[in-house]
């Protein structure tokens, strides 16, 4: 369960796509291609996760005089 929770298994999908791209062979799947809305959701969800992580750990690029809650 720890491996699934960590997201480590999702790296295998990325590796699969990179290897397929490097080999010049398309990846065959039984799933339909993702729509633009689905792709946008993934990008926005990742952006939100990165932003929240930075805010909660105090890793922002704001000036020191700006409070963390505002940054």
């Amino acid at each position: 369960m720890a491996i699934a929770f960590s997201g480590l298994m999702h790296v295998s999908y990325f590796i699969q796509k990179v290897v397929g791209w490097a080999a010049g062979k398309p990846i065959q799947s039984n799933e339909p291609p993702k729509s633009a809305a689905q792709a946008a959701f993934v990008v926005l969800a990742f952006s939100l996760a990165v932003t929240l992580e930075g805010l909660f750990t105090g890793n922002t690029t704001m000036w020191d005089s700006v409070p963390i809650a505002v940054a």
Side-chain angles (χ1 to χ4, degrees):
M1 188 65 156
I3 292 175
F5 181 73
S6 71
L8 185 61
M9 297 301 292
H10 296 288
V11 174
S12 65
Y13 299 121
F14 176 73
I15 294 170
Q16 177 187 24
K17 290 188 181 288
V18 169
V19 170
W21 175 78
K25 296 184 179 182
I27 304 295
Q28 295 181 1
S29 175
N30 293 332
E31 296 180 11
K34 290 191 178 17
S35 68
Q38 289 172 324
F41 175 77
V42 169
V43 170
L44 290 175
F46 178 75
S47 299
L48 178 64
V50 170
T51 301
L52 291 177
E53 174 71 19
L55 288 174
F56 289 132
T57 59
N59 295 325
T60 64
T61 57
M62 296 297 288
W63 297 280
D64 291 333
S65 61
V66 177
I68 293 177
V70 177

